[in-house]
Amino acid sequence: MLKISARHERWPLAQTFTIARGGRDAADVVVCEITDGTYTGRGECVPYARYGESIASVLGQIDATKPQLPVDDPRRALQTLMPAGAARFAIDAALWDLEAKQNGQTVWDALGINPGRKLSTAYTISYNVAEKMAHDAALENHRPLLKIKLARKDDLERLLAVRAAAPNPQLVVDANEGWSLDDFEAIAPALVGAGVIAVEQPLPAGQDSALKAGAYPFALCADESVHDRASLNHIIGRYDMINIKLDKTGGLTEALEMKAMAQGAGLKIMVGCMVGTSLAMAPAMAAAWDADIVDLDGPLLMKDDRTGGIRFEGSQMAFPDPSFWGG
């Protein structure tokens, strides 16, 4: 019999992290542990209010699933027992970790991934006044890719200030549903002029029918508009790229299948994250190893990360030791 436990943890951030919907000073995560009596697997998720989730609701979902999870192939059974979302991610990640330990084979080996290869992640510049964003961007001018959080009609000043302060990195802009179509069309020429390579979720989910894939020199990337395979058909033809987040897909199991389906439809792939620790990033790295854009900088935004987590050298991230997660 598998025993499942879950708990809430709070991890302070290095500085306030702000997007269009507000800011936070700490990452509130749920950690799930599953044991067979010999081995224990771990997973982490970040409940997200935008999707109607809270610490209490996720803990309740995990608790309700305990008596239903079978011993035989529990990870596959989980896909029908729970909907996509943070709670399923925590359990799914713990099951991947547990299975690897039981089988004596790391997740990386099972998926044919070379764990010696490092990934290069974007680094996020939090939303703020133009002067503060420019200051923060200047400190990160050495990084190959910056992700800029924008949110308002006066974002042109912020964009130009960041580009002037950090002329070297490529830029991804994330509006987090903060623009209207008029806002987007007004700033689009400046986005092109600044050399932005991708624009993430410019319009609110459900209001993006006016978008057209291939219409801009930069990629249009869906985030809030796409969660799992069931939502892919809605965005094909409107977006050039999707942001796969395991908290949205409900885990690595669905993320891998969603990625394959999206690539088959000609979509480019970004693998992103909520603001969490290395325990949430490790399974995401398994989905991100061949992504067009990797955005897994959560641990870099923490005041302190978990002991033994992902090793960062600048923007380069090394796969963690399997003893931390994955084997």
Side-chain angles (χ1 to χ4, degrees):
M1 177 178 293
L2 298 177
K3 294 184 178 180
I4 306 175
S5 62
R7 64 183 181 273
H8 168 217
E9 293 181 355
R10 169 166 274 224
W11 292 80
L13 303 183
Q15 62 177 338
T16 301
F17 182 80
T18 305
I19 65 172
R21 285 183 287 274
R24 69 187 72 175
D25 296 310
D28 286 288
V29 309
V30 170
V31 175
C32 177
E33 293 185 347
I34 303 178
T35 182
D36 63 1
T38 302
Y39 302 104
T40 300
R42 301 189 302 161
E44 176 189 305
C45 71
V46 180
Y48 201 41
R50 167 66 178 82
Y51 304 133
E53 298 172 336
S54 66
I55 295 294
S57 73
V58 166
L59 289 173
Q61 280 184 285
I62 294 174
D63 188 61
T65 303
K66 290 178 183 180
Q68 304 179 65
L69 199 63
V71 174
D72 295 331
D73 204 4
R75 183 164 56 80
R76 284 293 167 187
L78 179 67
Q79 308 310 304
T80 56
L81 286 174
M82 298 183 74
R88 195 174 78 185
F89 172 31
I91 298 177
D92 181 77
L95 288 172
W96 274 94
D97 190 29
L98 177 63
E99 288 174 21
K101 290 177 169 63
Q102 291 171 331
N103 298 334
Q105 181 186 42
T106 69
V107 171
W108 327 125
D109 288 339
L111 295 176
I113 296 171
N114 175 12
R117 178 189 172 198
K118 294 181 179 179
L119 303 183
S120 180
T121 182
Y123 183 86
T124 304
I125 302 300
S126 181
Y127 180 80
N128 212 307
V129 297
E131 293 79 9
K132 178 63 166 68
M133 292 183 70
H135 172 269
D136 291 347
L139 295 176
E140 310 301 336
N141 188 44
H142 61 284
R143 297 185 184 275
L145 179 63
L146 295 181
K147 183 173 183 177
I148 311 303
K149 292 289 189 179
L150 297 180
R152 300 289 183 268
K153 292 182 179 180
D154 54 351
D155 278 336
L156 178 59
E157 180 184 2
R158 294 179 177 87
L159 173 67
L160 298 179
V162 166
R163 178 42 97 196
N168 293 331
Q170 291 186 307
L171 296 182
V172 171
V173 163
D174 186 3
N176 281 116
E177 305 181 276
W179 292 336
S180 66
L181 181 60
D182 288 344
D183 295 335
F184 178 44
E185 291 179 342
I187 201 173
L191 297 169
V192 175
V196 171
I197 64 169
V199 174
E200 196 174 340
Q201 201 64 46
L203 308 181
Q207 299 180 29
D208 45 11
S209 59
L211 298 179
K212 183 178 181 181
Y216 301 93
F218 48 78
L220 288 174
C221 181
D223 182 1
E224 286 86 352
S225 288
V226 62
H227 291 241
D228 54 11
R229 283 174 293 167
S231 58
L232 268 178
N233 286 338
H234 167 76
I235 61 93
I236 292 174
R238 298 177 181 176
Y239 291 92
D240 309 286
M241 175 181 286
I242 62 170
N243 188 344
I244 296 175
K245 293 178 179 175
L246 273 62
D247 285 278
K248 291 190 303 177
T249 67
L252 178 60
T253 303
E254 172 67 15
L256 293 173
E257 295 183 4
M258 180 185 184
K259 182 174 73 169
M261 184 175 177
Q263 289 173 327
L267 291 162
K268 293 183 177 180
I269 303 297
M270 175 192 296
V271 175
C273 64
M274 305 305 184
V275 183
T277 77
S278 282
L279 187 55
M281 301 309 120
M285 289 183 74
W289 69 273
D290 62 346
D292 298 284
I293 295 177
V294 177
D295 181 25
L296 300 177
D297 63 342
L300 293 176
L301 306 177
M302 298 287 169
K303 184 177 180 181
D304 296 295
D305 191 18
R306 295 184 189 275
T307 302
I310 295 167
R311 301 179 301 281
F312 286 88
E313 295 179 5
S315 293
Q316 296 291 305
M317 53 192 308
F319 284 86
D321 189 273
S323 62
F324 178 78
W325 185 89

